[in-house]
Structure formats: structure tokens, C-alpha cells
Amino acid sequence: MANVENNLSAILVIFGGTGDLTHRKLIPALYNLVVDKLLPKNFAIVSVGRRNKSEEEYKQDMYKTLSDFSRNEVDDKHWARLANMLHYYQFDFTNQEGFTGLKTYLDELDGKANTGGNRVFYLAVAPEYFETIVSGLHESNMTKKEGSWSRLIIEKPFGKDLKTARKLNNKLLEVFDERSIYRIDHYLGKEMIQNIMVLRFCNTVFESIWNNKFIDNVQISLTEKLGVGTRSGYYEKSGAMRDMVQSHILQILSLVAMEPPINLKTDSIRTEKQKVLQAIEEITPAFLRNNVVFGQYGKGVIDGTPVPGYREEPNVPADSNTETFVALKLHINNFRWAGTPFYIRTGKRMGTASGEIVIQFKDLPNILYFQDKEIQDPNLLVLRIQPNVGVFFQFNTKDFTTHNGIIPTKMDTSHYNPTQGNTPEAYERLIYDILRGDATLFPRWDEVEAAWSFADQIIKYRENKILQFPNYDAGSMGPVSAFELLARDGRKWWNI
Ligand code: BG6
């Protein structure tokens, strides 16, 4: 991979060191990097938190969190290595003067841990604190030092619309250059998402027919059984468009549709992804009327258990207009894709929890076979993201049990992997890449900008409408209008 630094020694400073993300994802990911011997020799972790705790107490908390969330069992030998690197620094980052103290602490630690002044600042905090922390780092001269590097990791959401994202980005660019900013989209850390490029660009049989001449339509479907849980404060202001489409889905779309990059360098790949987002068709009033379906779950049953509707969830207003489901049909207006629709679907509290990309190939003429069949079983290539991970391919063969019958044969190389959710595993890969200075799996600013430009218009449309919610039962596959969206085109969602 490109752009990898040789000097990996660093201090990782986690703002939000006592928060949920650190407990569930970051510390387990760091532990597993220790197990796999992927952390640099000279490395220290400083968790910054407001809570009054001794370093010993903090370590005990983290030890406990590992037994809950680590994929590897906790082995005392490995834990001792992690514990040795781990420090707790108590300070309220809304107090700008406190940053000077943190600087002194880190400079001293550099000497002990031999980390050469390199820093990775991980903002695992609520987005309203991003700018405050970056200002604090800047004012206290923590981000620039001769002969060493600093990187910034920003969690999702990156802004809540194009305007706020731009403002945040400008603020970050005052302090860090674009190459040092790592915007997390944990989907890019998933194995199967990384596999999209390999499947496309390492297989003649796929890449040579990967275009509008052979592909009838593409479906990207990320469905969850989970509801909003305890996150209604965030989700009410977000909805499925911001939460899933602007980030994860548009990233997947760009990997599926991009042109082959000229090489595997970070910016070559990002440039091709960004071009896809720029080529998405213009959003007109007709597009909004015909190609967009919003949904919100009502009460229903999931796996035999009754669950409340979204409006009955804790802290959700009884008249909430927030969408928990979106389906879209869009075109990518370039030579490769013009005329081939992309259908997108994502929702909470649905009947299945799965992530899939379905490539449906065009039918052959019904001249020799299939005359008596209403529909030809198409060739389908399914990239299974989760919980099954791998590739499924459907093709037609003779049915040996009958005289002249034809049956679709299903070849499935996927395996069930229950840990493919939003797990520390994706973070392991992403943190490892950040330490190596490889930003390939992180969206560049112009990708984020293009994604917001698209999502914003759809979000505004929803915000200005009073929708007839709820319009799908928990445990179903979404509103009827999402099925009609494809039925109108003579197509259907594939649930493979
Ligand atoms: C997060 C969203 O980014 O992705 C959540 O904020 C969603 O609402 C999650 O549940 C889904 O991730 P995964 O990895 O579990 O599919």
C-alpha cells in the first residue's frame, strides 16, 4: 500500500477516553493489535477523560471492557503489554488552558516511551466538541513539531449537512493538512468492502462485463433488525439519510461503480471514488417525487418478540418525522453506467439484518430457452457484506431431474461471520492503517463534500414534508412504496 510512513512510533491520544466508543471498539481493537503484534514497539496510549479516576482504576475498567467486547480472550500476558502502554489523563477539554498541561504531559511521556514526538489525536467525542479540541491542540502548539508528525482521527458524523461539514473542515484545515486527517467510516474497514476492488479488478469475468451493457441494475441493501436503542437523541436529528446513506452507502456505491484507478495509491483510488459521486444524476423535483421513499417503523415483532414503534421509543416525540428507512433509485451519468439504475435501501427494525450488494445481469433473449417461463432467472452476483461474508453467484443449468428443465444454480462461497457488525475488527484495520499513515480506507474531503451535496437535497425534501408515519411494521422489509419503486420498473428487491 502507498504512502506508508516508516516511523511508526507514536502516542495515541484518545479524547473521550471514558466514553462508549473507547470501551466497545477502541480498547478492544488496540488489545487485538497487541495480540497480533501490530502495534509499534515504541507506542503509548493516553486516554483523556473528564472523570476523576486514578490510572489504576482506569486500567481496571478497560480490563473489564475487554472481557465484554474483545474478539480474542483476554490473556494476561497480552493485557500486561497493553496496560503498560495505557495512561489516563484527567482533564476537561472545554477548558482551553488545560491543553498546556496535556502538552507537557505528552512531551514528558515522549522521553519515557521513545515516541519521537509523533501524535495521533482520536476525537472519540460528540461532534460538538470537534472544533473545541482542535483549537485547543492548535493554541497549545501540540500539532506541529520539527521532525515528527501529527494525525487527527474524526468519527462520524462529519457535519450534519454540507454547510456544517464545510465549516468543520475549514477549521480542521487551519491546523492539519488534508493528508493528516482521517475521517472514519467503519464500513471501509470491513473485509467485504475492501474485497470489492479485488473482485472487480482481479477477475476478467467480472470486470469485462461490469457496465451498462451487461448489468441490468445494482442493489445496495443494508438492513438492520435493531431499532434506535438508546441513541434517539442523536438519531432524531439524523435519520437514515445522514446516518447510513451519506456515509456508508455512498462509499459502497463509489467502490462498486468507480473506474479502475491508475495504481493503488491512496489518492488515485479516492479520485476515482469521488468522480462517481460527482456523476450522480441531478436531483430534480421529479427525482424527489418518484425516486425517493422514506419510512418509519411502527410497532411489530422481531424474532418472535414484540417491539415498540419508533415514536414509542424513549425520548422520541410522538409526532416524530424522522425517517428510519430510505429507499432510492439513482443513475450514475457516465459512459459506464448511464441507463443502469442503482437501487439503495437501508432501514432499522427490518425483518432481516444483512448487508448485500446485488448485481443483476441482463437477460439473454428468450429465443432458445425460457419461452414458456414468464421470467428468466437472471445471473446474479451478490457480494455479501454481513452477517455472511463472501460471494454468491447464480447461473442457469440443465435440471437433470427433468427432460428439458432449466434451473438456477446457486454457488455460494460465503460463510457466516457473526462478528461482522459494527465491531472492533473494522477499527483494528483502521487504526493500524492510521499508524502506518495509509489513508486509503478513509474518505477524502471532496468525497465527503460530494456525498453531502447529494444527501442534503433529499434530507431537505424530507424535512419540509409531513410524512404519513409510521408506514412499515417492525419486522417487515419496509414500506410498500419501496417495493413499488422497483415494481414500476418491472424489477424486485432480491433477498438472497
Ligand atoms: C453506524 C450507524 O454508523 O452504523 C448506526 O450510526 C448503525 O445507526 C451502524 O446501526 C451499522 O453498522 P454495522 O457495522 O453494524 O452494520
Side-chain angles (χ1 to χ4, degrees), residues 25 155-157 184-187 190 222-224 226-228 231 234-235 238-240 242-244 247-248 346-348 354-355 385-386 419-423 426-427:
K25 311 278 158 65
E155 271 291 332
K156 195 185 122 224
I184 297 257
D185 182 322
H186 78 274
Y187 262 70
K190 292 186 191 238
L222 302 182
T223 61
E224 298 184 85
L226 293 175
V228 69
R231 298 166 71 220
Y234 152 77
Y235 200 83
S238 161
R242 289 190 175 95
D243 191 46
M244 298 295 284
S247 48
H248 310 320
T346 184
K348 292 205 181 281
S354 100
I385 305 166
Q386 60 194 35
T419 63
Q420 274 290 311
N422 186 356
T423 57
Y427 282 86

Side-chain angles (χ1 to χ4, degrees), residues 69 129 448 452:
F69 299 110
Y129 298 118
V448 177
W452 272 126

Side-chain angles (χ1 to χ4, degrees), residues 2 7 40 61 74 91 98 126 131 134 162 167 177 187 199 234 262 363 377-378 393:
N7 179 3
D61 289 351
V74 189
F91 129 72
E131 291 185 27
V134 170
L162 181 59
K167 179 169 170 279
D177 56 32
Y187 262 70
L199 280 170
Y234 152 77
I262 52 165
D363 286 350
D377 291 301
F393 186 56

